[in-house]
Amino acid sequence: MGLLLVHRSPLFFLIFFLLLLCHPCISISPHVVERASASEQPQSFVNGTGSGKRTCTGVVVCKPGILLPVWLPLNPPVGEQAGRAIVYFASLMYIFLGVSIIADRFMASIEVITSQEKEVTITQPNGETTVKTVRIWNETVSNLTLMALGSSAPEILLSVIEVCGHNFNAGELGPGTIVGSAAFNMLVIIGLCVSVIPDGQSRKIKHLRVFFITAFWSIFAYIWLYLILAVISPGVVEVWEAIVTLLYFPVCVLLAWIADRRLLFYKYMHKRYRADRRHGIVVEMEGDLSPKGIDVIMDGKLSDGSLGPGNSSTATVSVQTSGELQRNEDEVVRILKDLKEKHPDKDLDQLIEMANYSALVHQKKSRAFYRVQATRMMIGAGNVLKKHAADHKRRSQGQDADKATCSHICFESVQYQCTENCGSVTLWVVLDGGTGQNTFYVDYCTENGSANAGSDYEFNKGTLVFKPGETRKEIKVGILDDDIFEEDEHFFVRLQNLRLEEGGNEGTGTPPKGRLVEPLLATVTILDDDHAGIFTFGQPVLRVSESTGTLTVTVLRNSGSRGTVAVPYHTEDGSAKAGVDYEKTKGEVEFTNEQTSQTLQIRILNVEEYEKQENFFVVLEDPKWLKRGISGNPTPEEEEARRISEMGKPILGEHSRLEIIIKEACDFKHTVDQLLRDTNLAGVIGTHSWKEQFIEAVTVSAGDDEEEGQEQRMPNCCDYFMHIVCIFWKLLFAFVPPTEYWNGWACFIVSMSVIGILTAIIGDLASHFGCTVGLKDSVTAVVFVALGTSLPDTFASKVAATQDQYADACVGNVTGSNAVNVFLGIGLAWSVAAVYWEVKGKVFRVDPGSLAFSVTLFTIFAFFSMGVLMLRRRPSIGGELGGPRIPKVLTSLLFFGLWFLYVLFSSLEAYCHIQGF
C-alpha cells in the first residue's frame, strides 16, 4: 500500500493531463453524451467489402455494453455527469478488486494442478532400481501456460469477450489493454523491482536460456502484431494471420521447453560447472560470468594435458549437460543441519517446529504463489507463510492441550513378535493424559492376517477397563505350536468402541473425555521355530551420518529360530575406503536357540573432508549350525524332530549384502519427508473444504510483510479496513470449489468462468467511464484498464523480487505474460472473428492507427529496456535487479519515464495531436 501512496500524486497528475489533452477535441461544458445505435456507428472500419480511413471525431460516442446499458438520460447536467464518472470509476476499481480476489483462487488452483507428482522407477548403472517422486508438469511449461494464463486471464478474456460480444467487430479496449498492460509490465513493474532490492544487493536471472526465448517472443509478438496491422494487409486481419498468431503460442512454449531441457542444438552449448574431485559436478548458475582460473576436463587433467594440483578438491570444468534436477530435500536437510548445530540442546520435535517456517521461506516458489501472497496481504487476509507456520504451531500445541482434558488410548507398540512355542503373547494398551477421574471401557478383538485363528493362535475378544488412575492394561493371546515348517505369519488386534459406561453406546461425551488414537491396530508376528532360520539384513541399503561413530547393524533371523547358529560377516569397500571412511571389520554373530535378532558393530570415521555420499558393503557368509536344540540321546519324538530340523538348515535370506551409504549429518529421511509435506506450497495456499474457505473469508489477519521472524503480528486499522471493503468478494468467492476437488480443476474452471463474467463488466464500465469523461477507449485501455489488471502482478513481482534469490520469478513473469497476452488474447479473439467474417464472405477489419502506433512505441521501448537489463549484468552492478544505490535509482527513473512517455505519445496520437499510422 505504501507504493500507491508514493506514486499517487504522479498518477493524479497523469489523469488530469489526459482530461486536458482531450479538451481541443471535445466540448467540456456541458459534455454531450451520444448513444449510438448500430446504424449510427461510424462506418470507417465496420467489417464489409469496402475500405475506409480512420478519422478523428470530436465526439466520444457512448455505446451499449455487453452486459451494462448506457446510463440515461443521454444529456445530463455537468454535476450529474461528474457524479456518473465517480460512480463508474469507483465501480471499476471495486470490480478490479474482485478480479484480484478471484484470481487468488484461480492461481491457487493452478499451483495445486502444477504441483501434482508421480513416482518413476530409475535404473542405476549397477542394475538396481530406485523409485523417485517427480512433478508431472515441467516448470517452464507450467510458467508459460497455466501460470501465464492465470496472471493474464483478465486481459485475455477482455479481448475475447469484447470481440464476441460486439458482433465480432474489432474493438479498441481489448487490444489496447493488452499493449498497455505489456508496457506497464515491462517498464513499471521491472522498474519497481529494480528499486525495492536493498542497497548493495542484486538479483540475477538464473535460467538465461529460457529468459532469452521468452524475451524474444515477448518482443516478436508485438512486431508481428504491427506487421499484420500495417504491413502485410493494412487494416485487414486475414484468417491465416490470426491463426498463425494463435499458433505462435504452442511454438513459444515448445522452444522454451527445448531450451530448458537442453535438447537439439542446445545440448552442444557448453556450460560452466564446479567439479568436485570425489563427488562429481555441482551446477553453477547459467548466467554467471566465466570464473577466472583454469579449465579442466572430467578426468582431472588440465587443458594442456597436465595433471591438476593434488591438494585441490575443486576445479572449474566445461561439460555438456541435459538439464538440472532441483530438489527441495537438500534445502530442508541443510536447514535442519544448521538448526541442530545452533541449538544442540533442542530435541527433534523442536527442531522440526523451527525448521517449518524457515523451509517455507527459503524454498523455491512459483509465480502463482507470489501472486496469491501479494493479493492476500493486500486484502487483509494475512501473510500466507506466517499464517501457515502459526497454524502448524497451533495444531502441535493443540494436541498437547487436548491431553489436559481428554485421555488418549492406544497400543503401546504397533508391532509385536513371538516364537511359535511361546505359549502366549502379551500386548499392552496405554492411557495418556486426561483428568484421571473417569472410567473408560474399550473393546478389543483379534483379526486374521496370514495366521488363522484356531490353527495358529487362539481367537480372543474382550473389554479393557481403565479405572481412575490406571494407565496400562494388557491383552494376552494364546499362540498354537506345531512341528510343520512354515513361513512367519501374522495376525492383528484392534481397539474399538471406547465408552464411559459398560454396555453403553460408543462415545465419551461432548467435549470428549477420551478418544482412541493411533495405533489402534497392532500386528503380531509369529516366528516359526521349526527351522534354523533364514538370516538376512532388514533392508538392502542403510543410510547413516558420518558423525554416527559406532554403527550398530541388526541381522534378522526369520522363518525359524531353532538351534544355535553362527553367521560370519565381513566388510567390502565401495566408494568409501577402509581406514579412511570406516574401520574394516570381520567376524561372526552368534544366534542362540530361539534368538531372532543379533547385532554387529562397525566404526564410521568422521573425516574432515565434507562427504555427501560414500558407500561400502557388509556381506553375510554362509551360516554354520553349532547346536541344533536336540539332546544327544533323542527319544522317538526327538528323533522325529531331528528329521524335521534337517529339512530346515540355516540359509541366507534375500538381503545378505547390505550397502551402507555414509551421508552428511542430520540426514533423517522421515523428518525431511514430513517437513516437505508440511511445507508443500500447494497445501499452504490451497483449501480442503468449503468450511475452511468461509472461515478464511471472515477472518482478518495482518498483511504487513516487512517484519522479520515467524511470529504473526495483530491486524492494524488498515487491515480491518481492507477486510471490510473486500468482505463481499471474500464471502462470494468462498462458494468456489476448494482446490482439493478434482486436483484443482474444479476450482480452475469455476474461477475462470467468474473472471470472464467480471471481465465483461470491466469492459462495459471502462467504456462508459471513458465516454463520460471524454476519453477514447484506446486511452482508457492504456491507462486505467491496463493499470487495474496489472496491479496484482505489481505486488506479486515486488514480493518475488525481495524474497527470491534470483530475478527469474519477477522478470520472467513479465516476458512470459507479454507474449501470452498477444498469442492467446489477440490470436484467439481475432481468429474467431476472422473465421466468422470469412464464412460471411467479408473481411475482418481492424483500425491500425492507434493500435499500430502503440505497438511500435512499445517495441522500441522494450528493445531499449532489454538492453539496459543486460548491461546491468556487468560485475559493477551485479544483476538485473538491485545493485548500488545510484545505478538502481537511475534505472528505476528511466523505466518509469519510458512508461510515462509511452502513455503520453499514445494519448497524443489517439487525439490526433501527432501523426500515427
Side-chain angles (χ1 to χ4, degrees), residues 672-731:
V672 172
D673 289 343
Q674 182 63 43
L675 268 175
L676 287 172
R677 286 192 295 269
D678 290 342
T679 58
N680 187 301
L681 293 178
V684 171
I685 65 177
T687 53
H688 307 284
S689 65
W690 269 291
K691 177 183 177 181
E692 178 185 346
Q693 293 184 170
F694 278 100
I695 291 176
E696 287 185 357
V698 298
T699 303
V700 58
S701 302
D704 188 7
D705 192 43
E706 298 301 325
E707 300 178 6
E708 295 294 333
Q710 178 179 343
E711 296 299 325
Q712 193 177 18
R713 67 167 178 80
M714 296 299 294
N716 57 25
C717 294
C718 181
D719 297 322
Y720 280 105
F721 173 77
M722 289 303 301
H723 175 72
I724 293 172
V725 171
C726 303
I727 188 66
F728 169 75
W729 295 120
K730 290 183 177 181
L731 289 173

Side-chain angles (χ1 to χ4, degrees), residues 126-157:
N126 59 4
E128 295 182 1
T129 59
T130 58
V131 177
K132 298 290 185 182
T133 300
V134 297
R135 286 199 171 186
I136 297 175
W137 283 78
N138 175 270
E139 182 183 359
T140 298
V141 173
S142 65
N143 281 340
L144 285 176
T145 52
L146 292 182
M147 296 290 185
L149 176 62
S151 62
S152 304
E155 296 96 321
I156 295 172
L157 292 176

Side-chain angles (χ1 to χ4, degrees), residues 31 182 206 240 282 425 431 541 560 626 862:
H31 179 70
K206 180 181 181 182
W240 73 268
V282 181
V425 61
L431 182 149
V541 179
L626 301 181

